[in-house]
Every structure is written in C-alpha cells, then in structure tokens.
Amino acid sequence: MTTIAFIGLGNMGTPMAQRLLAAGHTVRGFDLSEQARTRLTEAGGISCASPAEAVAGAGVVILMLPNSDIVESVISSPEVNAELAANTLVIDMSSSEPLRSRALEQRLRKNGIRFVDAPVSGGVKGAENGTLTVMAGGIDENLAEAATILECLGTVRRAGQVGAGHAAKALNNLMSATHLLVSSEAILAGQSFGVDPELLLQIVNGSSGKSGSTENKWPNFILTGTYNSGFALKLMLKDMKIAVDLADQVHAASRLSHAAVQLWEEAAAELPDNADHTEIARWVAATSQEPAASQR
Ligand code: NAD
C-alpha cells in the first residue's frame, strides 16, 4: 500500500480519494476549501495544511485540479519542490493541456521526479463507483506503477507517451460537448414539431444518433430539470478549447469544432459562473427564435 498525496478534493477528487482510502492506501490530502479537507478527514484521510505538507513523505502525488495553470503553480512551487522526494511519481489526473504536461514532465525529470498524465471520464458517479475511464500517458514503467494504484478508480487505458492522456481527454470532451449541443438543438426542434422529448430519446437511443448525451445526460440531468451532473460548464469549455488548440497546432480540420466552441463560449458568457455543463440544453432552448408569423 502506498502513501499518496492527493491535491484537489473537489467534485471528483473527494470520491476518488475516498476510493483510494477504501483500497487501503494512506491519503494525505490538501484543498483550498476547508469543507473539502474536512470531508477527507471524515473518510479516514489525513488533512494537510498545505500542498508541501501533503507531499512530504508521499511516494505518489495525485493532482485533481481545475487546469494547467493551477497544476503548475502547485507542483512547481519552491515549497513543494523542497518536499518532493527523488523518484516520486506525480500523476496529473486533472484535464490539463497536453503540451504543457510534456513541458512539466521535462522540468520534473531534471529534478529526478517522474510524471504520468491520467485524466478521467465518467463523471462524479463514475468516481464514486470506481467506473472511470483513466486515459494514461507516460513511459511503460511509470504507467505500470500508476495502474496498480489507479485500478480502484476504474479502467486504465494507455493513450501513448506523456501528454497523450491529456490529449485524449480533451478530444473526448470536444466530442461529448458537441453531441450535447446538437442533441439540444435536435430535441428542441422535435419538441416544437410535436415529438415528445422522452419518446425521441427512446427512439434515438435505439438508433444511430445515440451518444453519452442522449443515454445519460438528457435522461438524468436535463429532463429531470436538476442540471446537477457535477461538471461545470466552464470546465467543459476549457477542455473544448484545449482540443481545438491541439487540432490547430497539428493543422487538423476543425471548422465544426470551432463553431461548437463559439456557441459554448456564448453560453458561458450568459450563464452564472458556477453553471453545470448540462445547462447548455436550457440555454439552447432560451436562444430559440420565435417563429415568424408567416411560419406559424
Ligand atoms: P472542482 O472545481 O469541483 O474541484 C477542483 C478543486 O480544486 C476544488 O475543490 C478547489 O478548491 C481545488 N483547488 C483549486 N485551486 C487549488 C489549489 N491551488 N490548491 C489546492 N486545491 C485547489 O472540479 P472537478 O469537477 O472536481 O474537476 C477537477 C478536474 O477534473 C478538472 O480538471 C476537470 O476538468 C476534470 N474532470 C471533471 C469531471 C466532472 O464530472 N466533474 C469529469 C472528468 C474530469
């Protein structure tokens, strides 16, 4: 069993840390939120007063933070560097930027620290149930070691070298967000024509238009009116931008992707800062044009 420093105990990090504890690991956690630290103590973890205190004595450091800026500010701070033991394995499970992860790995390697990127898909439910898909990038030896720890969180899938996990995650979310957007438009059009949304979803889920949006997000978070998937709209937009930046950097065609980003950006500008990403469906409905009198 391993002593793990876990930094970032939010919607995803809390249930993930709880599963690591249940698997018998020692978890030394830190989050800016006191509530989050208390939740860790209640689950049997050790709450630390700073990231540096959390990493002291840990063989593995897991990061589950909002973005690359925060990941770098935490792991590259002089205080944390002073406490990271040589050969520590840093696993960035946040949805970070692939090229920045490569650069971070090189900087850490100079100090004898190992790095794997291992972002996840599967949402808060997947984190609670240990059914996440973990998309891992790194060298074989480090991935094998990471997999022995991460298997209690879900299925570990190798994506390639360092940064490949973060690339796979961003591209997955670009597809997921685009499906959610187009399904919002399609279901709205159906409803305006008189097709009941629940019936349309049943039909689509037995047909070729189905997706994670039609099978999970629509029935569980949109039709219920709860809009509480636990994944923020601004985090989804961050992932989409990472994906289209990547596409641009490798000169891959991305016109539809850019159009989708533009619409999600408009939604983010108009919705509250903490809006759940499933709110995109309500936003699409709210932006509908009233039909012209001649079309009524
Ligand atoms: P969240 O906002 O709920 O949690 C992030 C946590 O990081 C918060 O508790 C915050 O207090 C903490 N934090 C921020 N800055 C910090 C710092 N400097 N030091 C310590 N703690 C700090 O976000 P989340 O939904 O848990 O997502 C975390 C990551 O996982 C993101 O990169 C996100 O894109 C990704 N992700 C989320 C989901 C989901 O369904 N929520 C699914 C897959 C991947």
Side-chain angles (χ1 to χ4, degrees):
M1 289 298 130
T2 308
T3 297
I4 300 167
F6 201 113
I7 303 175
L9 299 161
N11 289 338
M12 293 295 284
T14 288
M16 289 163 70
Q18 285 168 350
R19 288 199 69 87
L20 290 164
L21 283 163
H25 298 292
T26 300
V27 177
R28 302 171 57 79
F30 175 74
D31 192 290
L32 293 177
S33 147
E34 192 183 332
Q35 264 186 336
R37 297 198 300 271
T38 305
R39 282 196 301 264
L40 180 71
T41 318
E42 285 167 359
I46 301 162
S47 167
C48 299
S50 68
E53 190 182 310
V55 305
V60 168
V61 176
I62 294 181
L63 306 170
M64 195 53 176
L65 292 161
N67 56 45
S68 284
D69 283 345
I70 298 175
V71 164
E72 288 172 13
S73 74
V74 166
I75 203 69
S76 304
S77 79
E79 295 82 8
V80 165
N81 268 290
E83 296 295 345
L84 279 175
N87 214 34
T88 300
L89 180 61
V90 174
I91 307 175
D92 182 14
M93 303 193 75
S94 329
S95 303
S96 305
E97 297 171 45
L99 289 175
R100 289 176 72 173
S101 301
R102 276 194 192 163
L104 177 62
E105 187 271 338
Q106 285 168 9
R107 288 199 299 277
L108 290 171
R109 187 152 28 104
K110 284 189 187 136
N111 297 333
I113 308 296
R114 298 174 296 143
F115 178 91
V116 159
D117 48 308
V120 300
S121 180
V124 173
K125 274 272 168 295
E128 288 168 352
N129 299 335
T131 54
L132 294 171
T133 296
V134 182
M135 311 171 198
I139 63 168
D140 287 346
E141 187 193 327
N142 294 344
L143 288 184
E145 186 178 331
T148 62
I149 294 158
L150 303 182
E151 61 194 6
C152 68
L153 303 177
T155 305
V156 181
R157 295 195 183 276
R158 178 164 191 176
Q161 291 302 312
V162 169
H166 282 149
K169 169 63 192 175
L171 294 166
N172 175 77
N173 276 19
L174 173 65
M175 290 188 229
S176 168
T178 308
H179 294 161
L180 187 55
L181 182 60
V182 77
S183 62
S184 300
E185 292 185 354
I187 289 168
L188 187 67
Q191 196 172 15
S192 303
F193 187 71
V195 183
D196 179 72
E198 278 186 45
L199 290 181
L200 181 56
L201 280 170
Q202 282 170 21
I203 292 165
V204 168
N205 285 335
S207 308
S208 53
K210 71 178 171 188
S211 66
S213 298
T214 59
E215 289 183 322
N216 173 27
K217 295 176 186 184
W218 268 92
N220 292 323
F221 308 115
I222 301 172
L223 287 185
T224 55
T226 51
Y227 301 93
N228 64 349
S229 77
F231 183 42
L233 189 139
K234 65 181 178 190
L235 289 178
M236 178 64 104
L237 179 57
K238 169 207 60 167
D239 294 344
M240 296 175 79
K241 286 179 173 173
I242 294 172
V244 292
D245 281 353
L246 188 70
D248 289 346
Q249 278 156 8
V250 298
H251 308 291
S254 57
R255 279 184 294 170
L256 172 59
S257 307
H258 277 281
V261 169
Q262 196 183 330
L263 286 163
W264 278 82
E265 263 176 339
E266 281 179 35
E270 290 172 25
L271 290 169
D273 201 43
N274 62 353
D276 193 84
H277 80 289
T278 53
E279 288 278 0
I280 192 79
R282 189 143 61 174
W283 178 82
V284 164
T287 58
S288 268
Q289 304 274 329
E290 280 292 309
S294 59
Q295 293 172 331
R296 280 190 201 127

